[in-house]
């Protein structure tokens, strides 16, 4: 794997991020991940309350389509916000995204906006606002981090995302406890979902204020791109890989949520435990990948291929076996495989020129959003149609990606861009 490009001669060194700033950037990733992970498990019961005449298959499809609407917002917003942040500055876009995220959550609690169509619009708006958070945070860290620290800091960001998703079920459990305390007896699912929204919005508001207070606002000098023969192919390969893996991951996660409707012995606590297991395995893999400097010793394409194989094995196990022990093994392997691949994509993309760093990160987030949109919609439809076998169908994008990697290995180990100082 090529090394991350050094700061060119004559280009001013970017202002280094202070520990407090880096912590707040990681916290922004944590908050949006926790909000998504906390709301997803309560969506089936919440929608069942909103649509009392709907059957389990219809609810499953709407859960998938709502997740797809959120991802569609990311798909539309990520390249837009990335390009705008290259021009007007990343801190402004990041804070604006956090404001929109908090507002879009709180509007879910407005009674006049509780219809199914309004929920779709608000989840899409939340994704549009998150699109101004995740890629812009990555661009900020890449822009203001010395080359020697870049891998370690991206490890922190990935860890923040995984811990946030892991915290989502805990947020859900806290909301359940508060709902039981506020309302004893009866159906507590709508109140619990509302409390998840309130808690997520409150965390987002705190981080939003911290970012607005501490982030640097100085624009860095622009650089120009040095064309290279592998640049466009390297970008296209990363975009495909990001979309394909997120397609599989979103369908896989949705399948875990929807299993409870077809397996009477699978409790909500077991589903939450599978989500926690998923995040913990990915967190461990991420720590191993970066803190052992594995990417400095092993070509990126080898790491990617190994991750794809592990992910396919995990999905195959989940498709073929229904016992708890096999399901937990399948979750672990699938999480380990995707956990190997996703951080490599971001780390390779961090070599983009400053002038195009926001657009590059936004493009990756858009590809991930596109994959997540299709994966969520396909996952809901597949699980309603073939139930457990849907995990087996999800291996197809990974098989195709592995074939492309073996056929064109040169596309998967290059930094997509190079930069030099303006003349």
């Amino acid at each position: 794997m090529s090394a991350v490009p050094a700061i060119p001669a004559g280009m001013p060194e970017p202002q280094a991020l202070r520990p407090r700033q880096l912590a707040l950037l990681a916290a922004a990733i944590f908050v949006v991940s926790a909000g998504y992970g906390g709301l997803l498990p309560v969506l089936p019961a919440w929608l069942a309350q909103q649509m009392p005449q709907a059957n389990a298959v219809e609810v499953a499809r709407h859960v998938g389509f709502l997740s797809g609407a959120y991802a569609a917002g990311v798909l539309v917003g990520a390249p837009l916000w990335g390009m705008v942040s290259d021009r007007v500055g990343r801190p402004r876009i990041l804070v604006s995204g956090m404001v929109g995220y908090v507002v879009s959550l709180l509007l879910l609690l407005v009674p006049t906006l509780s219809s199914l169509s309004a929920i779709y619009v608000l989840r899409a708006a939340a994704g549009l606002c998150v699109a101004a958070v995740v890629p812009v945070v990555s661009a900020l860290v890449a822009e203001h981090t010395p080359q020697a620290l870049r891998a370690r800091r991206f490890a922190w960001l990935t860890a923040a995302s995984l811990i946030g998703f892991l915290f989502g079920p805990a947020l859900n459990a806290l909301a359940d406890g508060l709902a039981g305390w506020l309302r004893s007896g009866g159906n507590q699912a709508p109140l619990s979902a509302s409390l998840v929204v309130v808690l997520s919005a409150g965390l987002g508001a705190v981080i939003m204020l911290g970012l607005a207070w501490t982030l640097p606002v100085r624009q860095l000098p622009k650089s120009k791109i040095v064309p290279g023969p592998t640049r466009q192919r390297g970008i296209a390969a990363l975009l495909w890989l990001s979309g394909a893996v997120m397609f599989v991951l979103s369908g896989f996660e949705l399948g875990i949520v929807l299993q409870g409707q077809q397996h009477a012995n699978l409790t909500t606590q077991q589903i939450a435990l599978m989500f926690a297991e998923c995040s913990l395995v990915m967190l461990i893999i991420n720590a191993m990948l970066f803190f052992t400097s594995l990417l400095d010793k092993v070509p990126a394409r080898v790491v990617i291929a190994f991750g794809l194989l592990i992910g396919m094995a995990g999905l195959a196990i989940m498709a073929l076996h229904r016992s708890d022990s096999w399901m937990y093994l399948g979750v672990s392997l699938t999480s380990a495989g995707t956990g190997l691949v996703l951080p490599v994509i971001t780390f390779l993309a961090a070599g983009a020129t400053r002038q195009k760093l926001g657009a590059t990160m936004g493009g990756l987030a858009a590809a991930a959003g596109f994959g997540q949109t299709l994966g969520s919609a396909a996952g809901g439809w597949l699980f309603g149609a073939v139930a457990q076998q849907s995990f087996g169908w999800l291996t197809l994008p990974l098989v195709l990606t592995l074939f492309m990697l073996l056929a064109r290995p040169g596309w998967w180990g290059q930094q997509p861009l190079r930069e030099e100082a303006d003349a």
Side-chain angles (χ1 to χ4, degrees):
M1 188 191 72
S2 302
V4 178
I7 300 298
M11 179 73 70
E13 187 76 20
Q15 177 185 354
L17 290 170
R18 297 192 299 272
R20 180 175 57 178
Q21 294 170 326
L22 185 62
L24 283 169
L25 289 171
I29 300 289
F30 169 86
V31 164
V32 296
S33 297
Y36 180 80
L39 193 57
L40 186 61
V42 301
L43 275 179
W46 196 16
L47 288 178
Q49 179 77 13
Q50 299 289 335
M51 307 183 308
Q53 304 303 320
N55 57 36
V57 173
E58 290 174 324
V59 171
R61 289 176 180 170
H62 278 296
V63 171
F65 292 149
L66 278 172
S67 300
Y70 176 92
V74 177
L75 168 65
V76 173
L80 171 65
W81 296 128
M83 289 186 289
V84 172
S85 75
D86 286 330
R87 296 179 177 273
V88 305
R90 310 195 203 287
R92 295 177 184 176
I93 300 302
L94 175 56
V95 173
S96 299
M98 290 299 297
V99 171
Y101 170 74
V102 171
V103 172
S104 66
L105 283 177
L106 292 177
L107 288 177
L108 286 170
L109 303 178
V110 178
T112 56
L113 298 177
S114 60
S115 66
L116 186 61
S117 59
I119 294 174
Y120 269 98
V121 171
L122 290 175
R123 292 310 292 158
L128 187 67
C129 295
V130 169
V133 176
V134 177
V136 174
V137 167
S138 298
L140 264 171
V141 172
E143 188 174 54
H144 291 271
T145 298
Q147 175 185 341
L149 296 177
R150 196 171 283 177
R152 189 176 295 269
R153 288 192 173 178
F154 271 104
W156 294 344
L157 291 185
T158 306
S161 177
L162 294 173
I163 294 171
F165 200 77
L166 179 63
F167 183 75
L171 193 67
N172 186 270
L174 176 60
D176 285 341
L178 290 173
W181 179 65
L182 293 172
R183 179 186 297 170
S184 57
N187 185 8
Q188 299 175 0
L191 178 59
S192 178
S194 297
L195 289 173
V196 169
V197 170
V198 170
L199 292 171
S200 300
L203 288 173
V206 171
I207 301 306
M208 173 192 70
L209 294 174
L211 290 171
W213 183 260
T214 65
L215 282 185
V217 295
R218 180 171 65 89
Q219 279 285 93
L220 292 172
K222 300 220 174 172
S223 58
K224 65 181 180 181
I225 300 172
V226 179
T230 62
R231 182 181 136 221
Q232 295 299 332
R233 287 177 293 181
I235 294 173
L238 290 180
L239 292 176
W240 166 265
L241 186 61
S242 179
V245 173
M246 285 306 301
F247 176 95
V248 172
L249 188 59
S250 60
F252 159 70
E253 291 172 345
L254 193 64
I256 293 176
V257 173
L258 298 177
Q259 283 182 98
Q261 295 187 356
Q262 298 201 9
H263 299 284
N265 60 339
L266 192 65
T267 66
T268 303
Q269 289 75 16
Q270 286 176 302
I271 294 175
L273 184 59
M274 288 183 183
F275 272 101
E277 176 191 4
C278 177
S279 296
L280 280 173
V281 170
M282 294 180 74
L283 186 61
I284 292 170
I285 291 296
N286 180 73
M288 179 202 72
L289 189 62
F290 286 113
F291 289 101
T292 61
S293 301
L294 183 63
L295 285 177
D296 294 328
K297 305 169 184 176
V298 181
R301 63 181 179 274
V302 175
V303 178
I304 293 170
F306 191 57
L308 294 175
L309 289 170
I310 295 175
M312 286 187 284
L315 290 170
I317 288 173
M318 295 186 72
L320 296 174
H321 300 281
R322 296 173 181 266
S323 66
D324 289 350
S325 57
W326 282 107
M327 290 297 293
Y328 284 122
L329 177 60
V331 169
S332 293
L333 290 176
T334 306
S335 304
T338 54
L340 271 176
V341 176
L342 288 175
V344 180
I345 300 172
T346 308
F347 183 67
L348 288 174
T353 177
R354 292 181 197 165
Q355 189 177 3
K356 297 293 184 180
L357 187 56
T360 301
M361 293 297 184
L364 280 180
F370 183 67
Q372 188 175 4
T373 301
L374 294 180
S376 297
W381 181 83
L382 276 172
F383 204 90
V386 296
Q388 200 83 10
Q389 296 302 315
S390 63
F391 293 114
W393 287 100
L394 288 175
T395 62
L396 293 181
L398 300 185
V399 172
L400 178 59
T401 304
L402 183 61
F403 174 79
M404 293 170 59
L405 188 147
L406 295 175
R408 292 290 185 269
W411 294 0
W412 309 85
Q414 302 291 330
Q415 288 290 340
L417 299 173
R418 296 292 184 267
E419 68 179 4
E420 65 176 17
D422 283 330

